[in-house]
Amino acid sequence: MSPASIEILGLLAGTLTTISFAPQVWQVWKSKSAKDISLGMYSLFVLGVAMWLGYGLLVGSAPVYLANTITLILAGAVLVMKVIFDRRDRQKPPQDQQ
């Protein structure tokens, strides 16, 4: 494969894996709930994506740093909503005591 073809492959792969987070972000935002999402998993995932972003910048790989920048924003949004919504839910009284 030519270098241009390899770059296109990387951009397509990054696009697909990145947009796969959009439905999760939308679902959490729409439902205002992230109770079924693992805080530990998303925390580690966001850290890993941030490291991939750093790696992509250091080696100058556009597919790596572009995809991971957008993924970091999307996954980070889910992580922030998870923390906010879980904190809110812990502060609400149980339904039967209202």
Side-chain angles (χ1 to χ4, degrees):
M1 288 180 89
S2 71
S5 296
I6 293 170
E7 194 81 359
I8 290 170
L9 177 63
L11 288 167
L12 287 173
T15 298
L16 292 174
T17 58
T18 296
I19 63 173
S20 71
F21 280 90
Q24 185 69 66
V25 174
W26 177 248
Q27 180 62 34
V28 170
W29 176 256
K30 187 173 73 167
S31 69
K32 301 290 189 243
S33 174
K35 65 181 171 126
D36 295 327
I37 292 174
S38 166
L39 179 62
M41 178 271 178
Y42 256 83
S43 297
L44 290 172
F45 181 76
V46 167
L47 179 61
V49 170
M51 293 173 80
W52 273 113
L53 171 57
Y55 170 81
L57 290 169
L58 289 170
V59 300
S61 175
V64 174
Y65 67 72
L66 290 173
N68 284 291
T69 297
I70 297 167
T71 301
L72 185 60
I73 292 166
L74 294 172
V78 171
L79 182 60
V80 168
M81 287 187 285
K82 168 74 175 162
V83 171
I84 290 170
F85 296 155
D86 282 2
R87 187 173 293 151
R88 176 206 62 200
D89 292 345
R90 279 194 307 271
Q91 294 172 352
K92 285 189 343 190
Q95 289 289 355
D96 58 340
Q97 295 179 1
Q98 289 183 357

